[in-house]
DNA sequence: GTTATAGGCAAGTGCCCGCTTGCCTGTCAA
DNA sequence: TTGACAGGCAAGCGGGCACTTGCCTATAAC
């Protein structure tokens, strides 16, 4: 079995990538916050359950970490798994800026 | 429409990722070479047509560039599209080595 | 306690995608 | 010219995945 299978599977969906964009812009959102901002700011109207399942996939891939507080569940992005991608297939001009 | 949709779609399949591993190790292989080495060295027995379709997806994503020479077609890896991933979601400790 | 809010669980469905199958095109050696 | 070799094209099939639907749990406000 491949190690990063969950990572690439998580990145394979456009909605999940947009969720990562949202969490990059504003980290630590709840499920309902993400739903609202995805609809308003990104134009995609997905149901709450759909987003919830997407977040579960992202969490399994290690790209999202959660923190419970009362009845709220905050979602935080973690981009560190992405490093394994460029480590696996090295990009030649790694650092463009001097 | 998203820009890097083809890129993430290409990376979403385990066989295609193994093809990138193969081309990283030995660049400029033909279709039949890739088929043989995937079978022997990686244990996955995919048909020639399957690998051909995988290479087409990788080429459409910009991860593989081809060069025809007579009846041979050599495949070269191009990892530069991967840079857009870490640019989109910046990794905090970007450069581990000083 | 009662109601509203935030989130979870599980079964069912439709569709995309990887793979096969079969046949065709083009290049090189005999 | 004929055969073998390297690769391409297109239709069909099956499984996985995203999404819905319906109901349930838990925390907080009233």
């Amino acid at each position: 079995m491949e190690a990063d299978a969950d990572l690439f599977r998580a990145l394979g969906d456009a909605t999940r990538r947009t969720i990562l964009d949202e969490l990059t812009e504003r980290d630590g959102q709840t499920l309902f916050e993400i739903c609202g901002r995805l609809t308003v700011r990104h134009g995609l109207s997905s149901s709450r359950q759909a987003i919830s399942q997407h977040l579960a996939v992202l969490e399994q891939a290690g790209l999202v970490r959660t923190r419970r507080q009362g009845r709220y569940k905050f979602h935080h992005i973690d981009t560190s798994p992405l490093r394994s991608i460029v480590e696996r297939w090295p990009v030649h001009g790694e650092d463009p800026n001097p």
Side-chain angles (χ1 to χ4, degrees), chain A:
Chain A
M1 186 54 183
E2 193 185 16
D4 300 325
D6 290 338
L7 171 63
F8 290 106
R9 180 187 180 277
L11 292 175
D13 185 79
T15 302
R16 283 194 287 266
R17 295 193 293 270
T18 309
I19 292 177
L20 292 181
D21 291 338
E22 247 310 302
L23 291 179
T24 299
E25 205 169 328
R26 172 190 274 226
D27 200 25
Q29 295 188 53
T30 68
L31 172 60
F32 276 47
E33 278 183 277
I34 296 174
C35 286
R37 292 175 63 105
L38 281 183
T39 304
V40 174
R41 300 165 50 89
H42 300 270
L44 39 106
S45 59
S46 300
S47 71
R48 177 184 60 89
Q49 291 81 353
I51 304 297
S52 178
Q53 291 171 1
H54 281 310
L55 287 171
V57 175
L58 288 170
E59 191 173 4
Q60 191 180 353
L63 289 168
V64 162
R65 306 209 174 270
T66 60
R67 166 176 60 96
R68 286 220 84 132
Q69 187 170 345
R71 58 174 169 178
Y72 298 104
K73 187 178 182 181
F74 300 100
H75 300 265
H76 297 267
I77 189 173
D78 181 4
T79 58
S80 59
L82 298 178
R83 187 176 295 133
S84 66
I85 299 179
V86 288
E87 285 175 355
R88 182 169 179 179
W89 305 293
V91 182
H92 52 285
E94 184 70 39
D95 197 34
N97 45 333

